[in-house]
Amino acid sequence: MSTCIRSQHQSSNQLYQIVTGLKQFHSQLCQFKFENCIQDSSYADQLDTDCNIYSRLRDCFRSLLDDSQCLSAQLKDQYTKAKQNEYQACGVASSYESVRSSSIVHKFRIRDKASDESASTETKGYECLCIGSQNLGTRKSIVKIKVVRIPLHRVFTLSDNLIQILDSDNLQPIPNLKIKNVLTFGVSNATDQCQGGYVDICVSTKRNKIQIYRLDKLNMNFGYELSVQDSFTSIAMDSCGIIGCSETEYFSYDPSNSNDRRSTGSFNSIFKLDDPNTAVCFTNISPGQYLLNGPNVGVTTSLQGMSQRPPIMFVSSPIDFIYSHPYLIVLVRDYIHIYSYLDDQLKQEIPLKFCRTLLTMQQENIKNIIVTNKDNIYLLVPLSIEEQIEQLLNSYRLQEALTLAESTCSSIKQRSTNRLVLSTKKRIAFIEFSAMNVVRALCLFDDIHIDFHEILTQIPNFLPINSSWSNIDENNKNQYVQWLNALGDYMTRKSAEFSHQPDYYPVLLKAYLLVKTPEMIIEFIQTNASYVPMDYCKILIDAQHYNAAAILYSSHEKHQQAIDIWKKLVSNEYSNDDTFPGVWILAKYILERNIDRSLEFSTAAWFLERNEEELALKIFTNKHRTESNNDPFSSQRVINLIKTHQTALVTYLEYAVFKLQLQTDEIHTMLVNIYLDQILSKSDNEETRSKLQAFIITSNSYRVQTVLHRVNQTNRLKREVALLYGKMNNFEQAFRILVDELQDLEYAENYCIALSHGKSSADRKIVAHVLFKVFLNSLEKYPNEIKAALLRLLCNNEIEFDFIEVLQRLPSHWSLASLSQILLRALRTYSYTQRAAKLESSLVRVQNEQLNIKLSQLKRSNTMINEQRQCKHCLQQFYETSCVVYQDGIQVHVHCAKKYKQN
């Protein structure tokens, strides 16, 4: 609250002589009370401020106030004569005595008066200009004035127990609107009455009656009357009822609970005051709620006498008080105390001696407080709620500030939308956030649904978002961790609301860099990389999250940058990143994507340089597409690259031959030579030899002569020689080596089956008879082994023979018992052949019969053609007896059908 002094002091030569003459009368008895001078000054003030009487008398009275002295009779006469001279000089005909006995209403305009440089910055001077006056015609002075601007523009005056009503615009009395025998009165402050164009008045009369009137623009109507035991010294009313007080007791009237208005019991006694030193006063808090003064306490009560809150404990006994939301202004001896009605605590103490009256003055949306003492009128101008809240927040009285803001809402529901409450909560949240009370701050953030961008402004070094974290002192790191954890938790809870904003995920990522583990950051980027701009890769690298930066690069199709980062991690150019899974992630990355093929090839070559042959081969084999010279993964280019890596070369050649089935003589011959090198380099390498033999049998693309020439250079590879002769269709030579030189009869039989694979029946019989012949020629050398091999060969269903020729060439001395299985197979083969021929002939015959029947049906069917039918091609009529009928029944000319068939 700030005070503004509403008086200005000037000197007067004539009165100055009186003041200087007071010093010799300090010891004299009191002959003229100073209070009378104050009363005189008030009437003088009402005459005309333009005459400067107000300021001249003030100089005199202030000197008297300093010494509290009295005037002698002689000085009194001089003072009276001087005052009369002043009145006459100002053109006022009334004498001093007549002024004292009159009742005049004056209308003043109060304007600011410029203060000098020595004036206090906390006070402001005013001067009053009289712009109108009205003599009420009563003998006594006015004891109470009430102004009702809205909606009636009326002034209520109480003088000589008479209420008169004036027009507030020109102070002219409203005729026939008077109430007599009135001790005091009150005007209702109900807002619904103001909107309805009327106002209710309650008056306390000398006959112990309370009367209710309703006043509109033109008339005043009597409502009803209530009886009371004692006369009321003060009374007030609102839309809920009436409250009043006598000299020692408080009363209330509730229309909803009172039936008999004539009874003195219609007013309920709230409580009595036994202490005569306790002033009887009350003030309205809200409709139906009043604060009553008690012995050093303020009791809040309803019209029913019920209190919903504890009493206010006053520091000093009040003389008077009024309520100006949310404060209670209490007038005590030498001070003005200001209590907060929200927490009942004394908030401010204003020194002011000899205070007399206390009242409110509504000015726009501010309720100012007017205070008077013996010689001055003070205007207490309250600070705005916003300024009060600002001061409370600056002094870290956060809950008081929030309570004050919430007090501006008429209901709890309004707090969620009230602008002042929301702004106060935001300020408190930021203060708590800065003070590391993040739990409290988060609750407030949730309550007001604050945007996360506003939180970012409270975190040092966070903005701009796309900047790297500066070096944070270890002493401050704990603060950052708490801030960023709170930010992350808040944004995660509000993801449904915030996630559509473009910088939501970048903000989370930057916060996580300081508070989350590297594994959690990797998981976050893998999930939300598409929402994080590529600029944040630099931030990740600066924070030494290299693997995360590579993943972010890859999500933005920047494969070269991602692969370069992983290469640097493998080669230890970057410090160790525990989230990097290993070099295999590079191969997996290449294999799972279709990126630039030159980049894929260079990465595979890099694997070879680091002796990661297995990973390189996976890339070479999986990325093969064509044998074009422009394709970096063509077999020729890959072979040229891996020639120095023997193991990788063998694996790739096998893949090219067996998987890709490349039929180039160079690749096949190279693979055969590698097999031979491996066999010849080791004496015991049966696995490779088996692979070589199988390859010689199955492959048709190697250079047989070249391989045979090399194999013949050693005696260790007789079987391979036999296989090569067989590959050149020299079956007899191949079987002779296997049978005569190697004596591997079983292998010869299996080789016969292998040579027969993929050939016609006649060719298969040729190969089988060559082996049969070789066996017969070697029968004398190895009779028992050859006989067993012959019987096994002839009984093998995978080998085809012409059994008539076979039986003719078998030795005649072999018993039928030994040949039983051969004869059985021969008979079965012959029977199968005959049955197959008959079945085939029967099937052909049935098919021919079906075709003949269909042809006969077509020949027997007739097609009607007349002159009305048209060819569907040329749209001409049919003049011939023949036509072509399509399967869908469409008829066309024969020549049209031939023509369209050719087209």
Side-chain angles (χ1 to χ4, degrees):
M1 308 286 283
S2 65
T3 59
C4 298
I5 302 176
R6 195 180 166 187
S7 62
Q8 191 72 18
H9 309 292
Q10 299 177 353
S11 63
S12 172
N13 293 331
Q14 185 175 0
L15 295 178
Y16 181 75
Q17 298 175 1
I18 300 176
V19 175
T20 55
L22 290 175
K23 295 183 179 179
Q24 57 182 329
F25 299 105
H26 285 179
S27 61
Q28 295 182 4
L29 298 176
C30 178
Q31 297 180 6
F32 188 75
K33 291 186 177 181
F34 178 67
E35 284 79 359
N36 293 333
C37 295
I38 293 295
Q39 186 179 11
D40 295 338
S41 70
S42 64
Y43 288 114
D45 188 16
Q46 294 173 10
L47 291 178
D48 194 345
T49 54
D50 290 337
C51 300
N52 292 326
I53 296 176
Y54 176 91
S55 57
R56 295 176 182 180
L57 293 177
R58 281 281 182 249
D59 292 347
C60 173
F61 298 152
R62 182 170 294 279
S63 299
L64 292 174
L65 179 63
D66 293 338
D67 296 324
S68 299
Q69 297 299 321
C70 303
L71 301 175
S72 64
Q74 181 183 4
L75 189 57
K76 177 181 176 182
D77 294 338
Q78 293 178 0
Y79 171 71
T80 302
K81 186 176 181 180
K83 184 176 290 187
Q84 290 175 347
N85 292 334
E86 289 292 330
Y87 290 159
Q88 293 173 2
C90 295
V92 180
S94 300
S95 65
Y96 172 68
E97 286 76 8
S98 65
V99 171
R100 291 190 58 184
S101 63
S102 66
S103 55
I104 301 176
V105 177
H106 292 269
K107 186 176 180 181
F108 295 93
R109 177 182 293 119
I110 302 175
R111 67 183 183 185
D112 293 355
K113 188 170 184 180
S115 58
D116 55 12
E117 296 181 356
S118 62
S120 171
T121 59
E122 297 183 357
T123 62
K124 188 176 184 180
Y126 289 88
E127 64 177 357
C128 298
L129 303 178
C130 181
I131 61 176
S133 64
Q134 179 65 43
N135 194 325
L136 297 181
T138 58
R139 293 177 300 171
K140 296 183 180 180
S141 61
I142 299 173
V143 297
K144 188 171 185 179
I145 294 181
K146 180 69 175 180
V147 180
V148 179
R149 294 284 299 171
I150 301 175
L152 301 179
H153 295 266
R154 296 290 183 261
V155 177
F156 298 82
T157 64
L158 177 59
S159 174
D160 201 9
N161 302 119
L162 176 65
I163 293 179
Q164 299 185 63
I165 302 175
L166 313 178
D167 190 323
S168 62
D169 295 329
N170 52 27
L171 297 184
Q172 293 301 314
I174 306 299
N176 301 323
L177 295 184
K178 297 181 180 180
I179 305 175
K180 298 180 180 181
N181 300 320
V182 177
L183 296 178
T184 185
F185 71 94
V187 180
S188 175
N189 57 2
T191 57
D192 57 343
Q193 296 180 6
C194 296
Q195 296 173 358
Y198 65 91
V199 66
D200 289 340
I201 310 170
C202 61
V203 299
S204 175
T205 67
K206 292 181 178 181
R207 297 177 298 163
N208 294 346
K209 299 291 183 181
I210 302 297
Q211 295 175 345
I212 309 300
Y213 295 87
R214 175 159 293 183
L215 175 69
D216 57 22
K217 198 71 175 177
L218 301 175
N219 302 312
M220 182 168 62
N221 300 317
F222 176 76
Y224 54 89
E225 185 177 69
L226 303 171
S227 299
V228 294
Q229 295 178 354
D230 296 324
S231 298
F232 285 176
T233 59
S234 180
I235 193 170
M237 72 178 303
D238 58 14
S239 59
C240 297
I242 302 172
I243 191 166
C245 63
S246 63
E247 294 181 354
T248 59
E249 191 172 0
Y250 295 98
F251 298 91
S252 67
Y253 171 71
D254 184 4
S256 60
N257 296 329
S258 299
N259 297 322
D260 188 3
R261 297 173 178 172
R262 295 172 297 179
S263 173
T264 57
S266 57
F267 272 84
N268 298 321
S269 174
I270 300 178
F271 66 85
K272 292 183 179 181
L273 292 175
D274 297 330
D275 186 1
N277 296 324
T278 302
V280 180
C281 57
F282 61 85
T283 185
N284 180 252
I285 302 298
S286 62
Q289 293 288 326
Y290 292 85
L291 182 70
L292 312 181
N293 184 33
N296 286 333
V297 296
V299 180
T300 303
T301 180
S302 63
L303 295 174
Q304 295 79 23
M306 304 295 293
S307 180
Q308 302 295 329
R309 54 172 292 162
I312 299 177
M313 306 303 296
F314 292 125
V315 176
S316 302
S317 180
I319 300 173
D320 192 8
F321 52 66
I322 57 174
Y323 178 73
S324 178
H325 180 78
Y327 296 104
L328 186 67
I329 294 87
V330 180
L331 195 63
V332 299
R333 183 177 179 82
D334 297 335
Y335 290 98
I336 295 176
H337 288 174
I338 300 176
Y339 292 84
S340 172
Y341 195 70
L342 303 176
D343 58 6
D344 300 345
Q345 299 299 315
L346 178 64
K347 301 299 182 182
Q348 188 176 359
E349 184 179 71
I350 302 175
L352 192 62
K353 294 184 177 181
F354 307 111
C355 295
R356 290 193 168 186
T357 59
L358 187 67
L359 58 106
T360 61
M361 181 180 70
Q362 189 71 30
Q363 185 176 2
E364 295 180 353
N365 296 326
I366 302 175
K367 185 180 288 187
N368 297 323
I369 311 300
I370 297 177
V371 184
T372 65
N373 63 1
K374 289 184 178 181
D375 56 351
N376 288 317
I377 300 176
Y378 296 92
L379 184 66
L380 303 184
V381 181
L383 293 175
S384 65
I385 295 294
E386 290 78 4
E387 293 176 312
Q388 297 178 46
I389 291 174
E390 181 71 23
Q391 292 183 1
L392 291 173
L393 293 177
N394 292 337
S395 60
Y396 202 72
R397 295 157 65 182
L398 307 182
Q399 188 57 45
E400 290 186 48
L402 180 57
T403 304
L404 180 59
E406 291 176 345
S407 68
T408 61
C409 302
S410 58
S411 64
I412 297 178
K413 187 176 181 180
Q414 291 182 352
R415 295 178 182 177
S416 59
T417 57
N418 184 270
R419 180 193 59 80
L420 182 60
V421 174
L422 294 179
S423 63
T424 303
K425 284 186 176 181
K426 182 190 295 187
R427 289 283 308 279
I428 294 174
F430 288 157
I431 293 173
E432 297 282 21
F433 191 74
S434 301
M436 307 311 299
N437 297 326
V438 294
V439 176
R440 170 65 174 159
L442 279 180
C443 293
L444 291 171
F445 290 156
D446 286 333
D447 194 16
I448 62 179
H449 306 288
I450 192 173
D451 188 80
F452 67 89
H453 293 93
E454 299 188 53
I455 305 177
L456 302 184
T457 61
Q458 306 300 311
I459 303 176
N461 302 319
F462 200 104
L463 296 176
I465 301 173
N466 58 352
S467 63
S468 302
W469 284 110
S470 57
N471 294 328
I472 300 176
D473 187 6
E474 289 297 328
N475 298 328
N476 298 328
K477 190 170 184 179
N478 184 49
Q479 287 185 337
Y480 277 90
V481 169
Q482 294 187 53
W483 283 334
L484 297 176
N485 272 324
L487 174 65
D489 292 344
Y490 177 72
M491 294 179 65
T492 303
R493 288 200 302 270
K494 298 284 186 177
S495 60
E497 180 181 349
F498 295 148
S499 58
H500 65 279
Q501 300 191 32
D503 54 354
Y504 171 76
Y505 291 100
V507 168
L508 276 180
L509 174 59
K510 187 170 183 179
Y512 287 169
L513 289 179
L514 290 184
V515 300
K516 299 296 184 181
T517 62
E519 291 76 12
M520 296 180 69
I521 295 175
I522 292 293
E523 181 181 356
F524 176 81
I525 292 179
Q526 289 174 342
T527 306
N528 307 298
S530 59
Y531 303 105
V532 180
M534 192 175 61
D535 299 343
Y536 285 78
C537 295
K538 183 180 182 302
I539 298 178
L540 291 170
I541 293 175
D542 293 341
Q544 297 185 352
H545 291 278
Y546 306 111
N547 187 36
I551 295 174
L552 186 56
Y553 270 128
S554 68
S555 67
H556 289 280
E557 304 298 328
K558 298 297 181 180
H559 308 292
Q560 179 70 59
Q561 291 86 338
I563 290 174
D564 289 344
I565 291 176
W566 280 324
K567 285 181 179 179
K568 291 180 180 180
L569 284 171
V570 173
S571 59
N572 294 326
E573 292 184 40
Y574 283 149
S575 59
N576 187 30
D577 188 344
D578 294 335
T579 63
F580 180 60
V583 68
W584 62 267
I585 195 65
L586 261 169
K588 182 175 182 291
Y589 183 79
I590 296 295
L591 295 174
E592 291 179 349
R593 290 166 175 79
N594 291 322
I595 60 177
D596 183 70
R597 294 182 66 76
S598 61
L599 177 59
E600 294 175 339
F601 188 81
S602 64
T603 305
W606 179 81
F607 278 122
L608 282 178
E609 294 174 0
R610 299 195 62 84
N611 295 322
E612 297 289 345
E613 296 180 359
E614 182 179 356
L615 298 177
L617 284 175
K618 285 184 178 180
I619 297 176
F620 288 138
T621 55
N622 282 273
K623 292 297 179 178
H624 181 273
R625 296 291 181 269
T626 64
E627 285 297 305
S628 171
N629 293 330
N630 297 326
D631 190 348
F633 286 95
S634 64
S635 59
Q636 189 61 44
R637 296 187 63 177
V638 174
I639 290 171
N640 292 335
L641 181 65
I642 63 177
K643 277 183 178 179
T644 56
H645 302 271
Q646 194 68 23
T647 303
L649 179 61
V650 174
T651 304
Y652 182 78
L653 290 174
E654 290 176 346
Y655 175 81
V657 171
F658 302 119
K659 296 294 183 180
L660 300 179
Q661 296 183 353
L662 300 179
Q663 301 299 325
T664 61
D665 58 348
E666 183 179 358
I667 293 177
H668 285 242
T669 304
M670 185 181 298
L671 182 58
V672 171
N673 288 327
I674 291 176
Y675 284 157
L676 287 173
D677 292 338
Q678 292 178 353
I679 293 170
L680 295 175
S681 62
K682 294 182 181 180
S683 60
D684 185 13
N685 199 343
E686 290 300 324
E687 181 179 358
T688 304
R689 190 172 183 184
S690 299
K691 293 166 64 176
L692 174 61
Q693 293 171 6
F695 184 66
I696 291 175
I697 295 172
T698 56
S699 175
N700 296 318
S701 300
Y702 57 89
R703 303 185 188 101
V704 181
Q705 292 292 346
T706 304
V707 176
L708 181 61
H709 175 72
R710 185 178 180 189
V711 171
N712 281 328
Q713 295 177 359
T714 179
N715 295 324
R716 293 172 52 190
L717 303 176
K718 290 293 183 178
R719 183 175 295 173
E720 285 74 8
V721 173
L723 297 179
L724 290 171
Y725 278 120
K727 181 59 66 175
M728 293 188 297
N729 292 332
N730 191 351
F731 305 124
E732 185 175 356
Q733 182 67 27
F735 288 137
R736 284 186 180 279
I737 295 174
L738 293 175
V739 175
D740 294 337
E741 297 184 18
L742 298 178
Q743 298 179 7
D744 194 345
L745 306 180
E746 183 178 358
Y747 190 86
E749 180 180 351
N750 294 333
Y751 185 50
C752 177
I753 297 173
L755 289 174
S756 301
H757 183 71
K759 291 182 170 58
S760 65
S761 177
D763 292 339
R764 289 196 298 270
K765 289 179 181 180
I766 292 173
V767 176
H769 282 275
V770 171
L771 179 58
F772 176 70
K773 180 181 178 181
V774 172
F775 276 171
L776 287 179
N777 293 336
S778 302
L779 183 60
E780 294 180 358
K781 293 181 181 180
Y782 318 106
N784 294 330
E785 291 83 358
I786 296 297
K787 182 179 180 179
L790 273 173
L791 293 177
R792 188 172 61 251
L793 177 66
L794 295 174
C795 292
N796 194 331
N797 294 326
E798 298 183 42
I799 303 175
E800 296 185 21
F801 289 97
D802 184 355
F803 282 98
I804 295 177
E805 182 182 351
V806 169
L807 292 174
Q808 291 175 354
R809 299 187 61 178
L810 285 176
S812 58
H813 62 273
W814 284 11
S815 63
L816 292 176
S818 61
L819 299 177
S820 60
Q821 294 296 327
I822 299 174
L823 294 174
L824 182 61
R825 184 192 175 200
L827 181 60
R828 189 165 53 247
T829 303
Y830 178 77
S831 299
Y832 172 76
T833 304
Q834 292 299 320
R835 285 197 301 271
K838 289 181 180 180
L839 288 173
E840 183 178 1
S841 176
S842 299
L843 291 173
V844 171
R845 186 169 59 254
V846 169
Q847 185 178 9
N848 289 336
E849 289 178 356
Q850 291 176 348
L851 293 175
N852 289 330
I853 291 171
K854 189 175 182 180
L855 179 61
S856 300
Q857 290 175 350
L858 291 174
K859 288 181 178 180
R860 288 197 300 270
S861 61
N862 296 324
T863 302
M864 297 298 295
I865 299 177
N866 52 35
E867 294 180 353
Q868 284 73 30
R869 291 183 180 272
Q870 293 180 345
C871 174
K872 296 299 181 181
H873 289 320
C874 66
L875 302 179
Q876 300 296 324
Q877 295 179 346
F878 288 95
Y879 297 102
E880 299 87 358
T881 58
S882 61
C883 68
V884 176
V885 182
Y886 290 140
Q887 292 181 355
D888 55 359
I890 296 175
Q891 301 169 0
V892 297
H893 292 126
V894 176
H895 61 275
C896 290
K898 292 180 180 180
K899 179 181 178 181
Y900 280 92
K901 184 177 181 180
Q902 291 176 358
N903 294 336

